[in-house]
Amino acid sequence: MASSPCGSGNFDSGLEIKTRSVEQTLVPLVSQITTLINHKDKTKKSERTQQAIQRVGQAVSVAVGRFVGVGEAIAVENEELKEEMGMACFEARRAGDAIAKLTDVGMPVAPLMDGRKTVFSNRTGMVKAARMLLSSVTKVLVLADRIVIKQIITSRNKVLVTLEQLERVSTFQEFVQIFSQFGNQMVEFAHLTGDRQNDLKDENKKARMAAARAVLEKCTMMLLTASKTCLRHPDCESARINKDAVFHRMRFALQQVMEIVTDARPCGETKVLPLSIYTGIKDFKSNVEGLHEGLYSLPQQALSDQLEAVVERTEDFTDSAYTSHEHREGILQLCQLARQDTDQLIAAWREALSLNAKEATEEMELSILKTCQSVHELRRELHKVAVGRAADLLKLHAEHLPLRALKASGGEGNLEAVAEYAHTLGEQKEQLMETCRLLCHVSGTEPLEITCMHAEETFHVTVPQIISAAQTLALHPSSKIAKENLDVFCEAWESQLCDMGVLLREINDVFEGRRGDKRAYLSLPRPGKHSANLKMVKAVKLDTEEQSTIAKLGLELRLLTSDVDTEVEKWEDQEQDIVRQGQSMSSMAYSMYLFTRGEGLLKTTMDLFHQAEVLSEEGLQLCSSVHTLSTLLMDEEKVVVLSEMEKLMGLCQQLQMGVRTPVQGKTATFQKVDSSIQNTRAIMTVVIYLLPVCNKLVRKYKSERSSLDSPQSWRDRQSSTPIKDGALNGKNSNGFGVKSLEKHMANLTFLESK
């Protein structure tokens, strides 16, 4: 859409698009309006072309009319948006009518005889109408998105009110009644925030949301047992401390969710991640390699200062008491080598400048390669140290010996032994927290850095809670509820160690380039895990026989993900939407394969079904990206691509319908699992076909565009292809919000004919 005269991004609306649903809803409109504007500027138009353009204009007007109807209904239901929404709808309707008039070309000679302005004679008017339409439609969508935010805020407020009531209860009967209500509210809040998390465009915000929601998930069960313990032992100070810590943590996590959802920053400050060694090396290498393009891109001292900043951060490794002498020496030697290579580069750079060289000399080119190689080796060594330390710690603490000892000592009422093992657990905590900081330095992506910081914080706050729970049990060794409470906090610690193992694999995968820089299942909501809600349908796991039955399907899925990864690596532009979406789908399919082996993050069938649903949504977004690419293609190529795109769209919709259909009973659930994995396999088969085809066509397009003698772009040469109006008679929806608007905006999708 680079040639679109309508602009890009926010379409002059002044509104930032923060969610995928809003962005993807606009894609077909932008694509077709662009095609409409970029018609061939010929003096004569065939009757067929004029009729096609007229149909498109009328169809846009009709679809916008339906879309505006939904927007106006939203305004009626939401008084606070009435004025803004009404104005945006009015502008959209007016722009749609203008486009219909400009495309009402009638007979081939009509525009010349009666002097009427049309898309052929008034291109400026069409561009203006298109801009107005895109701007107003964007505003309607963003306003509708505010309703989703309002729902989350309302849900959060309900949770906070009930949380305060729970904190003040004085009887078991009152507690049980209020906690039942609280559990239902937390499930609602979890679903709303989970949907929001998956819809966010910003990967850092998604990671922060995942971290906050993980805290709420674990704390809900902690709150149940901590509150019951406090009610059973009202005069116990350690029980009160334990309970207060849980309530404080829940409130903090709720506030974090609100900051992400509303884009608010406490005290007006911008939240900036601490600079990691990975980021420092990446920026340093970027500046070094930038010398290929220009010798005056930055001051020489800046390069040296940048390296020193990286070296200074390596002190987190070298100053650690847990870093071996061998590793410490290795890091120091590589830092010194990087300094030497950088000094040589700067010397060669100065010499080139003294000779008034306009580009890097051979000596500089060699120094650039050596400098990049030395910092790469430094990063590799740091990665090896951090990951090796983490792996050793996880192996060392796999038996959870301090936790077992704390439980035994508490059950015996031995406060001295509890204090001793609490000290041991505290030392373990310090080791794990330091290891999280080292992993953060080498994580490779900002979302993973956020996850590392969340892990560090979790280790930090969980140990005092375990200790207070153990002290309570030691004071009341015969108390079943105190024992249950300690078990819950110990399970949270064990769970965090498991999460750290997953994080470690993610960091390794990113470093070795086996997978993309993000895995969709890292950010998934985890339905079925909110055990505090007593009315929740129980999530089930596959038994041994079922896993054996489905293992073959899983293996086929694994092979398909490998093929997708291979095709993705062949793309020159790794930031291409098609590439990123293909990577994301491959990662999700891989997690489903792990499920068939009883491994990975997907523990229950509910986890699997939710993963499949998100994969289908990503597949539909891939369809949108492929459709956008199709506007650049020749007729024969377009037919092939659109045919496969329609097949993929149908399979994704089929998968969505399947996972959303409720079933009961073990046999029906297994059949649903089997069907979901089979549908996913079919989807990935189409993706494997599409990726190389699209890659080939993108390369061909770039090659032809660069070799054109005429200033007229390839898209301009193609855009006058007659256009079919698509499914314009979609079913009306009574639901309001972004998703219902998407259905109406889908009516603006028109496939160009042969």
Side-chain angles (χ1 to χ4, degrees), residues 261-325:
V261 169
T262 61
D263 208 24
R265 297 181 177 90
C267 305
E269 296 179 358
T270 302
K271 190 173 182 67
V272 180
L273 290 174
L275 200 59
S276 67
I277 292 175
Y278 165 78
T279 304
I281 288 178
K282 181 181 176 183
D283 293 343
F284 176 76
K285 284 183 66 177
S286 176
N287 285 333
V288 169
E289 291 170 345
L291 295 175
H292 287 300
E293 308 300 326
L295 303 183
Y296 302 91
S297 55
L298 77 162
Q300 295 168 7
Q301 187 60 38
L303 204 60
S304 181
D305 292 345
Q306 205 171 12
L307 178 64
E308 286 307 312
V310 170
V311 170
E312 184 179 346
R313 291 186 200 104
T314 64
E315 292 175 2
D316 286 347
F317 289 78
T318 56
D319 291 352
S320 170
Y322 306 109
T323 300
S324 69
H325 175 73

Side-chain angles (χ1 to χ4, degrees), residues 153-163 181 185 188:
I153 293 172
T154 301
S155 179
R156 190 282 305 254
N157 291 341
K158 289 179 184 177
V159 169
L160 277 178
V161 170
T162 312
L163 198 63
Q181 177 186 354
Q185 290 172 347
E188 177 192 2

Side-chain angles (χ1 to χ4, degrees), residues 4-7 10-13 26 29-30 32-38 60 64 91-92 94-100 102 119 122-138:
S4 170
C6 305
N10 297 336
F11 313 113
D12 300 331
S13 67
L26 288 168
L29 179 60
V30 175
Q32 297 308 321
I33 289 296
T34 299
T35 302
L36 192 61
I37 292 173
N38 288 343
V60 167
V64 168
E91 291 176 355
R94 186 173 64 172
D97 291 343
I99 288 175
L102 286 167
V119 65
N122 188 15
R123 183 184 179 88
T124 302
M126 172 58 81
V127 171
K128 184 177 179 181
R131 282 184 179 276
M132 183 185 295
L133 179 60
L134 291 171
S135 177
S136 55
V137 166
T138 301

Side-chain angles (χ1 to χ4, degrees), residues 316-456:
D316 286 347
F317 289 78
T318 56
D319 291 352
S320 170
Y322 306 109
T323 300
S324 69
H325 175 73
E326 180 185 353
H327 284 147
R328 184 179 292 107
E329 288 299 312
I331 293 169
L332 291 173
Q333 287 175 11
L334 287 170
C335 285
Q336 188 59 31
L337 178 61
R339 283 194 181 105
Q340 292 174 1
D341 288 340
T342 302
D343 289 342
Q344 290 177 5
L345 171 60
I346 291 174
W349 186 5
R350 285 174 180 158
E351 184 179 350
L353 291 176
S354 68
L355 298 174
N356 295 322
K358 294 183 180 180
E359 57 185 25
T361 61
E362 287 187 15
E363 185 181 356
M364 266 194 75
E365 293 284 359
L366 181 60
S367 294
I368 288 171
L369 290 174
K370 287 178 65 179
T371 303
C372 289
Q373 180 62 29
S374 61
V375 293
H376 175 74
E377 290 300 324
L378 175 60
R379 182 196 166 199
R380 179 179 290 279
E381 179 66 18
L382 295 171
H383 174 86
K384 183 174 74 173
V385 172
V387 169
R389 166 93 65 81
D392 289 344
L393 276 178
L394 290 174
K395 185 177 180 180
L396 178 65
H397 302 313
E399 300 298 321
H400 309 296
L401 297 180
L403 296 184
R404 292 182 182 180
L406 273 173
K407 290 179 183 180
S409 301
E412 294 168 358
N414 190 339
L415 278 170
E416 289 184 4
V418 166
E420 180 184 345
Y421 292 119
H423 179 73
T424 303
L425 187 62
E427 290 179 342
Q428 188 181 119
K429 175 199 74 173
E430 293 300 325
Q431 290 180 3
L432 288 165
M433 287 176 62
E434 183 180 282
T435 303
C436 287
R437 288 192 290 272
L438 300 188
L439 287 174
C440 186
H441 275 307
V442 301
S443 59
T445 71
E446 287 190 358
L448 287 178
E449 287 179 22
I450 291 169
T451 308
C452 289
M453 289 188 289
H454 166 66
E456 180 185 355

Side-chain angles (χ1 to χ4, degrees), residues 215 218-223 225-226 229 238-250 403 406 418 422 425 429 457-473 482 485-490 492-493:
V215 171
K218 292 176 181 177
C219 280
T220 300
M221 194 60 190
M222 293 176 182
L223 186 145
T225 57
T229 303
S238 57
R240 185 192 61 77
I241 291 172
N242 184 259
K243 170 191 163 185
D244 289 348
V246 176
F247 276 90
H248 173 76
R249 214 169 162 220
M250 285 204 76
L403 296 184
L406 273 173
V418 166
L425 187 62
K429 175 199 74 173
E457 173 67 15
T458 302
F459 286 127
H460 175 68
V461 300
T462 305
V463 165
Q465 292 176 312
I466 292 173
I467 293 172
S468 61
Q471 289 170 342
T472 302
L473 178 59
N485 188 45
L486 178 57
D487 287 341
V488 167
F489 283 96
C490 289
W493 177 266

